[in-house]
Amino acid sequence: MQLSELLKSPVRVQRCAGRVIQTELVVQIDQRDIVPGDIVYFSPGDLFPGDVRLLTAKELVVSQSSLTGESGTMEKIANIREDRRTPLLELKNICFMGTSVVSGSGTGLVISTGSNTYMSTIFATLGKEKPPDAFEKGVLCASYALICIMVVVVPVIVLSDYHATHNLSESIIFGISVAVALTPQMLPLIVNTNLAKGAIAMARGRCIVKSLSSIQNMGAMDILCIDKTGTLTMDRVIVIHHLDSWGFPSERVLKFAFLNSYFKTELKGPIDDAILAYVYTNGYRFQSSKWRKIDEVPFDFIRRRMSVIVETDLNTILDDTCPGIETASCVITKGALEEVLNICTSIEQIDSGVTAALTPEDRSRVLQKSEELSNDGLRVLGVAIRKMKTKNISMSNYTAIESNMVFLGLISFFDPPKDSAKQALWQLAERGVKAKVLTGDSLSLAIKVCKEVGIRTTHVITGPDLEVLDHDEFHETIKRVTVLARLTPIQKLRVVQSLQKVGNHVVGFLGDGINDSLALDAADVGISVDSAASVAKNLADIILLEKDLNVLVSGVERGRLTYGNTMKYIKMSLVANISSVISLLIATLFLRFEPLTPRQLLTQNFLYNIGQIAIPWDKMEEGYAKSPQHWSSKELPIFMLWNGPVCSIFDVATFLFLWFYYGAYRVSASEFFHTAWLVEGLLMQALIIHMVRTEKIPFIQDMASWPVIFSTITVTAVGIIIPFTPVGKVMGLTYLPLSYFGFLVILFLGYFTLGQVVKRAYILTNRQWL
């Protein structure tokens, strides 16, 4: 709850202010503070904070995939009266909580929030489950394996004990105790403590974890797909050029770009801020106060441009802004160069201001100039206008408005690469995480920025080129390329899915825009930033409070450390529990009494579990976080087959020593046998923790953290002392001779020696330990 307070999703709301005179103000509040009756303003990328009745809508297209499960979109209209028989999700004048704006803008009255929304009524009964990841599947497989062992071993132990004691009830209770001892009871506690500890540590590093299981995936991630803008660059653009169609500086191009940004209200971004700042700081006076805004066509990721419709007094047009027209109304369009050129039929001639037909030669010249600027690392936008009569403006036909336009020229921007990006990408590469750049910008600009930050650009491709590839070529190309430019949101999704399914990679996606939403949802680890669009933050598993890849580097390390400590517990628990149960089975087959009473067995198991609580605070070996850590369901059975019998060998050695040296096979010596077996088993399990936690020689080449050492010493001391206490007498334990402890020293030295030999052989064979 404390971490969630760091994440804010602001919503623009119209509310009343003033005690005496009520004044309507538009303010930004967190979406959690929205109440019925609020009038909210929304634009592309926004999530609806409640169920909303539309009041106004401009080219509004909404994605309802969170409710319908379908990737399609739906157009919404405010001024429509729906029939009562219309299905709820097909109502065009209602937008539902959790759905998002794809394009367009509008306002709406909030009619319900929280548990009263349509989404809440659905998920109150159904819930939204995410498919299990590799780690969850692995834990499930291990659980099934333990159940299978339990089903086989426990009945055999019950029958053997009954054959020796002829007491069915005692035998059943003993069998239940063995089943309990076989179960890794601390698994939920250890895993969740590991994840929660990792989440808190990542939060200190300005990285908020929304989904705890994503920390495991962060550690396994081997490919990171990143957007260019704001991630590799500073996202603080500055204007460099304002050129006409021939490449000469033009104040006229700057003027209309300024008016477009000045009157733009929906989805205002760094580009608009840069234009306004450039005009104000360089002393230009474009007299924006003499212009009036009529309407605007919002930006969307299909058109990749936006337009404003403005008008001015007739005496203002003496500077030939709209010469020869009785009214002074203009459509001013700014956007991606190719998309602006596509709606232009004329081009303004140099100096004269006279328009002529846009020829293929003109188009080629403009695109060539744009390519030159992009090669210099600049982002290029086109500017166009259309002069029109006010009476001919049809607000419902925006396609007609953005047509037959006059191309004015280019305006270029520079978004400097981040100084920290190159170092962060190098650190990620050192840790086995390959970076792929997925961007909607031009290829030449993407290549320029990638070279600046050290990403290889020998294999690159664009979205249109991807579309013409067949199925096999597509996947082979995605596997090879490092830079993919001019991608649509659907293409970003296909790239992520190809890397996951065909490449068998664990894929992270770092994005902050509306066009990144599909890829964020599909990625194994969806990563966004606090300043991202609401829909992106909603779909992300991890939120970076700083738009800096170095924050991600520390997150990757923390994910791997969390994964490593979790694997320590799982492996040591399985080895200790299974070897203990096998030893109990062997002892039960030969003795005429139980090797341990149920009370003693559960006490031993309880003390061992207490000793494992400190594992989340253990450290990992220095090189462990240098490579991705993948879960393998085949690894655990092999690990148990290699290491489990080592423990059982020394348990059997203890059994033989007690049998032949002390003659403890008689029923009269059962208390002595119980005490000796309990102490040996507990100390053996405590030592297994140190054998499994490192691939080096424990206590010599690598020491555990002090919490683990302290817990081990405590449990060991309790195990040795308990037979000499009143508690031991209640449990049926007795004193042990000093000679037995001398035997245990020799036994554990042998265990360490053989265990280390088996460990080295296992590592040489399987190339890993944890």
Side-chain angles (χ1 to χ4, degrees), residues 377-392:
L378 302 180
R379 183 176 180 180
V380 181
L381 299 183
V383 181
I385 63 170
R386 184 161 81 91
K387 308 161 189 179
M388 59 193 305
K389 294 182 179 180
T390 306
K391 64 180 181 180
N392 292 333

Side-chain angles (χ1 to χ4, degrees), residues 399-451:
T399 304
I401 290 175
E402 291 183 332
S403 62
N404 300 319
M405 303 197 73
V406 179
F407 184 77
L408 291 184
L410 312 169
I411 184 164
S412 67
F413 307 85
F414 181 57
D415 189 0
K418 286 184 177 177
D419 296 332
S420 61
K422 187 172 185 178
Q423 179 187 5
L425 288 170
W426 179 75
Q427 290 179 344
L428 285 172
E430 266 197 331
R431 289 158 177 77
V433 180
K434 298 179 181 178
K436 290 182 182 287
V437 176
L438 280 59
T439 179
D441 286 338
S442 66
L443 180 60
S444 54
L445 177 57
I447 290 174
K448 175 71 175 179
V449 173
C450 290
K451 285 181 178 178

